[in-house]
Amino acid sequence: MTDQIAVFIPPHSNIAQRLRKRFFSSAMNSVITIIVGLFLAWAVWNVFNWAILNAVWASPDGTSKVCHGIEGACWAVIDVRWRLIIFGLFPFEEQWRSTFACIVIVMVAIMSCVPFFWKPMRLGPLWVVGFAIFYTLMAGGVFGLSYVGPADWGGLTLTVFVYAAGVLIGMPTAIALALLRRSELPVIAKTTGAIIDAVRSLPLVSILFTAALILPFVLPGFLVGDKIWRVIIGFALFFAAYQAEIIRSGIQALPSGQEEAAKALGLTYWQRINRIILPQAFRNALPPTINQFVITFKETSLIVIIGFFEVLASGNAAFGSGEWSHAWVEVYCFVAMIYFVFVFSLSRYGAYLERHLRVGQH
Amino acid sequence: MSNAAVTISGMNKYYGSFHALKNINLTVQKGERIVICGPSGSGKSTLIRCINKLEEHQQGSINVLGTELDDNVGNIDQIRREVGMVFQHFNLFPHLTVLENCTLSPMLARKMPQDEAENMAMTYLERVRIPEQAEKFPGELSGGQQQRVAIARALCMKPEVLLFDEPTSALDPEMISEVLEVMVSLAKDGMTMLCVTHEMGFARQVADRVIFMDQGEIVEQAAPEEFFGAPKNERTQNFLNQILSH
Amino acid sequence: MTALLQSRKFRNTALQAGYLGFFLFLLIAAIVIGKHNLESQGITMGFAFLERATGFDVGFSLIEFGPYDTFGKMIVVGLLNTMFLGILGIALANIIGLIIALFRISNNGILNAIGTLYIETFRNIPLILQAFFWYAVLTHLPHPKQAVNILDSIYFSARGLYFPGLNVTGGAASLFFLALAIGLIIMIWFSIARRFNKIPKTTKSRIRMSIFGIAFLIGCIALVIGRIPETPLVSVPVLKGFNIREGIRISPELGALGIAMGIYGGAFLAEIMRAGFLSVGKGQVEAARSLGLSPWYVFSRVHLPLAFRAVLPTLINQYVWLFKATTLGIVVGFTDFFMVISVSINQAGQTLELIGILMLGFLVMNNTISFVLNRVNKAIALKGTQLRT
């Protein structure tokens, strides 16, 4: 077993040598390479056949007839139903708004990856403005745009909305929770700690369920608000509880001398937090923070359970109606691809940052 | 207004049940330079950290520049602006450049305009003889350079009193002298200094008074000639024998 | 007055009291308003409903359950199902994770590639989507008559997966596993608790074996007692008419969740385990090899234990996380704890009590997992600091 542990490959060996070392270093290794390689080739060939060679890509008449009796994938379902999956039940002629809204949020997300924006005074306004544009485009009611209430949003747009709003509310909450948990006052620290731990040990589904269906019972009438906002608050709270612990560990990784030096210079509590503690804590906590963003994005899909028509539900609906019911694999693959693109690029970026920060550490 | 910078009387400090400082009485006049020495764990660092309230005392009183260090919230930041501190491990802010390290507190705590703060910072960086490093990050400097930046940073607040907490003990031997030179020149300019250090040569050269602490008590205090020449207390003698024998 | 406000002690006390008071106020206000709202709907607070009959059946249960059983019993059924699914999913995830981790650290290029492909694919797709997918796969299997048949004893059909099993009651089977689990916990406790340090090693391992033997024996007795009378001991699934009878049936719901949790969790666990293997210093492995240990001993006595110690804290978090993922049962209709609670809320209307039970249940289960595993972690952690290169 141990001789399978990665061996050091000298950087300047030629390609043939390296290939031999990677694939045929011993008899055992060669056997594995050949058997597994054949199996892999067979699997890849079959998938390729199904997904590309024998697939039907479009349905000119919008019905599922083109897919009868074919051996490959029926991508025609995506061709016919992609609007439903991406936009949900958003009014057809207003769907350009939904498109622009998504583009704005994705642009903002990409801009946040540029170090220039890594300052609270830049990142905060960037997101608030981006989110405001998103919301205005989606909801309308001003600038001659017709009003479309959140109840009619759906598909990928709804997923992006809940995610962005949740993180936007959750981040400041997380910082507040982390600072409160580190408070010198024992009652405040312990109470906050108990709240964070309780939220963390509950499943997100139960928190969303409570927010959607139980809160209206226990809130005074004027606080009940819209279901989607209650769910976003619940979602933000869950994100904040996890993110607070990440920030806290980032703070704890700082040498105690940092805070002492700031104190000795006569900086006030908020000056110390803003200028000394948080900037360094975030730098320490950047890789797990990005990881948390990734996890949270995937968890946004859970709102389907409490009856929101997000991308997974609209996907289910896309093949749910009789004529496309055979195309469930294709629809799930499409939705999975959407998630994959978002999540994979974000996590690659996280991995890049981690390498980069380790090298560029001052 | 008396001429005392720091007056400590009947001060006691506990960590839980551990009696860290026992009945400390100490008056430091303005312009006075004091060196505190003693074996490790004797409470010398704790003592000077009490003066800017990085540590809290439980009994007795500490008066710094006419302000009583009591339970009053407003006093603490006020005092800390007037009392500078230099740490054993420098504690520079690694995410800020050398210049930003120096200008941060004047700009935030003293509301000084940026250009004024930068000019002043450059003056002090010249004073500690590293103006050319201003745009670098602390991690790119040697230990001795970092400690000199830390001194400049403390000076930028124009403190009345400067506390040194073993400023040279984390340094490689060849860097100690460059830091000590800066400290000597500060002393000559009449800065009020309380120095925890084992550098006995420095003590001889600049101290007005040397204080020996052991087990949380001030055991002996005297002018350097007297302290090194004829220590009265047996514990002081032992300590000096150990520290000067090599 | 200003002196009082400036006083730190006073301010601290006031702040703390205010903070705690704020949350207590929220909690009490919520309960008062909730009680008022429910009473206006004619629902009185209290736990009396737990004694009432539910009037409907649940899809999957480890213990006998019928429409005449109470809400209280249904909640127990849900709890058992959650634990069953949690253990099944985590066990699968561990197996898959270990295999993929070994793929990733192996020096064979193809195995590396498969490991990487596996992780990057399944880690980046939400668990719920995978659960949907596997549920669709399992329910699209052929009907029982055309079921995929392996050696006439394993059947895969749209009605479920059928395996040979024992003709015992569900309660007895649960007891069997419970006995094994308790035996295992006692064994671990016996191995790591300080008070047993003085016992010599050989006696210790003998006692360990007998603890396990006793637990196994108790489990077997439970199986024998719980045997369904007048049936053969081993029950093999057979096709009868339009359905498959006998044997153990894994419903598509349970199967989909178990597979999804195993595959998704496996991708995460593989990365954690890989990090663990890589964290073991090269020097340690070389030292073991230079002592002349066989590759298997180097792996099982040096590499694996050190890697395990390095990653246990991360693993604990992941287990708790996976355990919480059992709540996805509701999307495919598996009657786990969460689904049972939400069905009860619909049926009985005792919203606040049931949410309270739900939260309490998860707090207790998750804190038990992390408490037990953290104790293990503390007990096996390497003492002191040492150079690990």
Side-chain angles (χ1 to χ4, degrees):
Chain A
M1 224 53 189
T2 333
D3 57 357
Q4 301 237 332
I5 307 307
V7 246
F8 178 69
I9 300 164
H12 295 299
S13 60
N14 65 42
I15 291 177
Q17 271 175 342
R18 270 162 83 175
L19 281 181
R20 226 180 107 189
K21 195 134 207 177
R22 296 275 289 152
F23 296 99
F24 302 103
S25 60
S26 66
M28 174 75 175
N29 217 340
S30 309
V31 171
I32 292 177
T33 303
I34 291 166
I35 294 179
V36 178
L38 284 175
F39 171 77
L40 200 64
W42 173 81
V44 168
W45 173 244
N46 271 310
V47 170
F48 181 71
N49 252 335
W50 175 81
I52 314 274
L53 283 187
N54 295 329
V56 172
W57 295 90
S59 167
D61 59 348
T63 67
S64 64
K65 278 196 199 98
V66 286
C67 291
H68 288 318
I70 59 160
E71 281 178 7
C74 176
W75 298 116
V77 63
I78 309 299
D79 177 45
V80 175
R81 294 290 170 87
W82 68 271
R83 275 176 182 268
L84 177 68
I85 297 175
I86 304 285
F87 301 121
L89 299 175
F90 207 75
F92 184 85
E93 58 280 10
E94 305 289 342
Q95 284 177 0
W96 62 270
R97 281 160 54 183
S98 202
T99 314
F100 273 114
C102 279
I103 291 176
V104 167
I105 283 291
V106 170
M107 290 297 291
V108 167
I110 292 174
M111 280 159 85
S112 322
C113 295
V114 181
F116 172 80
F117 285 100
W118 291 357
K119 289 205 165 134
M121 289 324 290
R122 292 181 187 155
L123 209 54
L126 177 72
W127 272 94
V128 170
V129 169
F131 192 74
I133 297 175
F134 177 92
Y135 193 83
T136 317
L137 270 170
M138 288 297 289
V142 285
F143 307 127
L145 299 172
S146 63
Y147 178 73
V148 183
D152 294 322
W153 302 0
L156 183 62
T157 331
L158 182 64
T159 305
V160 169
F161 169 68
V162 171
Y163 176 65
V167 170
L168 211 52
I169 299 171
M171 204 43 146
T173 317
I175 295 172
L177 285 176
L179 293 179
L180 284 169
R181 192 170 194 173
R182 283 192 79 250
S183 164
E184 288 169 5
L185 309 178
V187 177
I188 291 185
K190 290 224 169 77
T191 314
T192 316
I195 293 172
I196 291 177
D197 289 341
V199 172
R200 278 162 56 94
S201 66
L202 289 174
L204 176 58
V205 177
S206 72
I207 290 174
L208 296 179
F209 182 79
T210 309
L213 304 172
I214 312 298
L215 271 188
F217 281 109
V218 299
L219 285 178
F222 61 94
L223 272 179
V224 171
D226 200 54
K227 181 176 165 192
I228 185 108
W229 284 109
R230 290 199 308 275
V231 167
I232 286 172
I233 303 272
F235 193 63
L237 179 68
F238 189 75
F239 170 77
Y242 275 87
Q243 183 58 29
E245 287 299 277
I246 291 172
I247 297 174
R248 190 168 72 109
S249 65
I251 296 177
Q252 272 171 349
L254 294 182
S256 62
Q258 289 294 311
E259 174 132 37
E260 281 176 4
K263 277 183 182 170
L265 285 170
L267 299 181
T268 63
Y269 177 79
W270 288 113
Q271 289 169 341
R272 294 199 298 267
I273 295 296
N274 264 330
R275 298 304 189 96
I276 308 299
I277 306 298
L278 283 184
Q280 295 190 64
F282 265 101
R283 183 182 276 252
N284 287 342
L286 204 50
T289 299
I290 297 213
N291 191 29
Q292 190 59 35
F293 284 157
V294 168
I295 293 174
T296 307
F297 185 70
K298 284 185 286 178
E299 281 176 338
T300 314
S301 53
L302 291 179
I303 59 171
V304 67
I305 292 178
I306 41 170
F308 283 103
F309 200 67
E310 51 72 78
V311 65
L312 205 49
S314 61
N316 275 336
F319 73 83
S321 62
E323 74 169 317
W324 294 106
S325 63
H326 57 88
W328 52 276
V329 178
E330 289 82 349
V331 170
Y332 281 139
C333 283
F334 181 66
V335 177
M337 274 307 293
I338 295 176
Y339 272 106
F340 185 84
V341 168
F342 274 85
V343 173
F344 185 73
S345 39
L346 197 51
S347 61
R348 283 295 95 190
Y349 170 70
Y352 158 80
L353 266 188
E354 199 170 346
R355 271 197 315 273
H356 204 70
L357 283 182
R358 215 182 300 139
V359 177
Q361 186 64 264
H362 298 299
Chain B
M1 184 80 195
S2 81
N3 212 28
V6 180
T7 314
I8 301 174
S9 55
M11 190 263 275
N12 283 283
K13 157 134 193 89
Y14 302 84
Y15 288 111
S17 61
F18 176 66
H19 201 167
L21 291 175
K22 297 168 188 162
N23 191 28
I24 303 289
N25 291 292
L26 176 67
T27 306
V28 181
Q29 301 298 327
K30 278 183 183 158
E32 201 174 10
R33 294 164 297 258
I34 293 189
V35 164
I36 305 171
C37 60
S40 64
S42 59
K44 50 198 193 308
S45 285
T46 311
L47 173 59
I48 66 164
R49 286 158 64 88
C50 281
I51 295 174
N52 64 353
K53 221 165 179 190
L54 287 179
E55 303 282 353
E56 227 160 298
H57 62 284
Q58 276 77 30
Q59 287 163 12
S61 77
I62 302 178
N63 188 309
V64 181
L65 305 164
T67 311
E68 193 66 30
L69 285 187
D70 53 16
D71 208 28
N72 190 323
V73 212
N75 287 354
I76 301 169
D77 292 335
Q78 192 60 43
I79 291 298
R80 283 176 180 161
R81 279 167 211 168
E82 308 304 331
V83 179
M85 184 154 190
V86 176
F87 295 86
Q88 181 178 4
H89 295 286
F90 335 135
N91 296 351
L92 293 175
F93 304 128
H95 61 304
L96 302 177
T97 62
V98 165
L99 189 64
E100 285 168 338
N101 261 285
C102 294
T103 56
L104 181 76
S105 191
M107 282 164 62
L108 290 178
R110 293 224 193 275
K111 309 288 173 220
M112 194 182 274
Q114 185 172 356
D115 48 351
E116 194 182 327
E118 281 177 0
N119 285 338
M120 180 185 67
M122 286 313 294
T123 326
Y124 283 116
L125 285 174
E126 269 157 35
R127 168 115 204 238
V128 298
R129 295 194 302 278
I130 37 173
E132 71 282 359
Q133 313 283 5
E135 295 306 323
K136 286 194 180 163
F137 284 95
E140 301 170 281
L141 305 184
S142 74
Q145 289 172 323
Q146 288 195 45
Q147 193 59 298
R148 283 186 281 152
V149 173
I151 295 173
R153 177 175 74 175
L155 290 174
C156 280
M157 290 298 283
K158 298 208 161 56
E160 301 274 336
V161 180
L162 206 45
L163 309 173
F164 290 86
D165 187 1
E166 308 203 22
T168 55
S169 46
L171 294 174
D172 290 337
E174 71 271 20
M175 293 172 179
I176 291 178
S177 63
E178 64 187 56
V179 172
L180 287 181
E181 275 166 32
V182 170
M183 289 168 66
V184 169
S185 90
L186 278 178
K188 284 189 180 137
D189 289 358
M191 172 67 77
T192 314
M193 291 164 71
L194 276 92
C195 248
V196 172
T197 182
H198 291 149
E199 296 297 331
M200 291 302 133
F202 172 77
R204 275 210 180 92
Q205 193 182 349
V206 302
D208 296 316
R209 209 169 1 143
V210 180
I211 292 177
F212 174 70
M213 286 184 73
D214 191 22
Q215 291 169 5
E217 292 170 302
I218 293 182
V219 176
E220 185 162 352
Q221 46 178 314
E225 312 81 53
E226 195 184 338
F227 183 87
F228 292 109
K232 293 194 193 77
N233 193 293
E234 197 184 334
R235 283 192 271 177
T236 320
Q237 289 160 8
N238 284 340
F239 176 74
L240 286 176
N241 283 339
Q242 277 172 10
I243 203 164
L244 297 175
S245 65
H246 50 254
Chain C
M1 188 61 196
T2 43
L4 189 60
L5 284 178
Q6 286 276 302
S7 154
R8 207 143 64 118
K9 282 204 185 78
F10 174 78
R11 227 170 68 153
N12 289 352
T13 319
L15 272 176
Q16 303 194 61
Y19 191 74
L20 190 60
F22 173 70
F23 285 107
L24 286 179
F25 168 77
L26 280 188
L27 190 67
I28 292 170
I31 291 177
V32 169
I33 296 173
K35 190 164 183 253
H36 172 80
N37 282 342
L38 290 173
E39 271 167 5
S40 64
Q41 292 181 3
I43 297 168
T44 40
M45 299 262 286
F47 289 92
F49 73 97
L50 290 174
E51 306 282 326
R52 290 210 317 260
T54 56
F56 57 90
D57 207 346
V58 296
F60 175 86
S61 173
L62 291 172
I63 54 178
E64 267 114 292
F65 185 85
Y68 300 107
D69 282 317
T70 61
F71 277 104
K73 191 169 177 191
M74 188 166 81
I75 290 171
V76 172
V77 166
L79 270 174
L80 285 176
N81 284 353
T82 284
M83 287 191 234
F84 181 67
L85 174 61
I87 291 167
L88 178 75
I90 291 173
L92 276 176
N94 267 314
I95 295 168
I96 295 177
L98 185 60
I99 293 173
I100 298 295
L102 290 177
F103 275 20
R104 289 267 282 172
I105 62 168
S106 95
N107 57 5
N108 183 296
I110 289 217
L111 294 184
N112 286 171
I114 292 181
T116 311
L117 190 70
Y118 178 93
I119 288 175
E120 292 302 351
T121 311
F122 291 109
R123 202 176 51 165
N124 292 330
I125 297 171
L127 175 58
I128 185 171
L129 178 54
Q130 300 193 36
F132 271 128
F133 178 80
W134 291 111
Y135 185 61
V137 168
L138 292 184
T139 49
H140 281 86
L141 284 172
H143 288 290
K145 284 209 95 157
Q146 291 91 39
V148 180
N149 178 339
I150 301 170
L151 297 175
D152 269 340
S153 51
I154 299 173
Y155 293 87
F156 294 157
S157 81
R159 297 289 296 272
L161 314 175
Y162 293 82
F163 297 95
L166 296 175
N167 260 324
V168 293
T169 57
S174 317
L175 267 178
F176 174 76
F177 287 112
L178 191 70
L180 285 192
I182 291 175
L184 203 67
I185 290 172
I186 295 176
M187 256 171 73
I188 293 172
W189 173 67
F190 176 75
S191 315
I192 60 184
R194 290 217 164 164
R195 70 178 69 175
F196 301 118
N197 274 358
K198 292 214 181 93
I199 302 173
K201 271 229 154 151
T202 44
T203 329
K204 230 178 154 177
S205 76
R206 224 172 284 156
I207 294 178
R208 251 195 316 251
M209 286 317 290
S210 39
I211 291 175
F212 190 74
I214 292 169
F216 189 74
L217 209 67
I218 293 175
C220 289
I221 293 173
L223 286 182
V224 170
I225 293 175
R227 232 186 107 177
I228 299 165
E230 291 160 28
T231 51
L233 182 60
V234 181
S235 127
V236 180
V238 283
L239 186 67
K240 275 189 188 157
F242 290 105
N243 215 342
I244 296 164
R245 313 257 165 216
E246 310 293 325
I248 295 178
R249 169 173 174 257
I250 308 265
S251 65
E253 293 81 22
L254 178 63
L257 289 170
I259 295 172
M261 278 174 72
I263 287 181
Y264 184 74
F268 278 89
L269 292 182
E271 276 299 82
I272 295 171
M273 291 177 185
R274 172 176 160 262
F277 283 123
L278 294 183
S279 78
V280 177
K282 227 175 155 188
Q284 241 87 38
V285 177
E286 276 169 3
R289 256 185 239 167
S290 68
L291 288 171
L293 293 176
S294 72
W296 168 247
Y297 275 137
V298 174
F299 179 74
S300 66
R301 300 295 150 90
V302 178
H303 208 159
L304 193 62
L306 283 175
F308 183 66
R309 279 177 173 80
V311 296
L312 189 59
T314 332
L315 281 180
I316 296 172
N317 286 334
Q318 204 60 39
Y319 291 155
V320 170
W321 188 90
L322 267 175
F323 196 76
K324 292 198 291 178
T326 55
T327 47
L328 288 186
I330 198 166
V331 301
V332 295
F334 178 73
T335 40
D336 72 320
F337 185 41
F338 175 70
M339 177 158 174
V340 161
I341 293 284
S342 66
V343 169
S344 303
I345 287 178
N346 271 333
Q347 298 291 324
Q350 306 284 359
T351 315
L352 295 184
E353 297 86 338
L354 282 162
I355 280 293
I357 293 175
L358 176 72
M359 308 229 160
L360 196 68
F362 271 106
L363 284 181
V364 170
M365 284 191 285
N366 283 332
N367 285 317
T368 311
I369 297 177
S370 42
F371 175 77
V372 170
L373 290 178
N374 279 325
R375 286 297 289 269
V376 173
N377 184 32
K378 225 181 220 166
I380 65 169
L382 300 172
K383 308 290 184 294
T385 50
Q386 49 168 315
L387 213 56
R388 271 178 242 152
T389 45

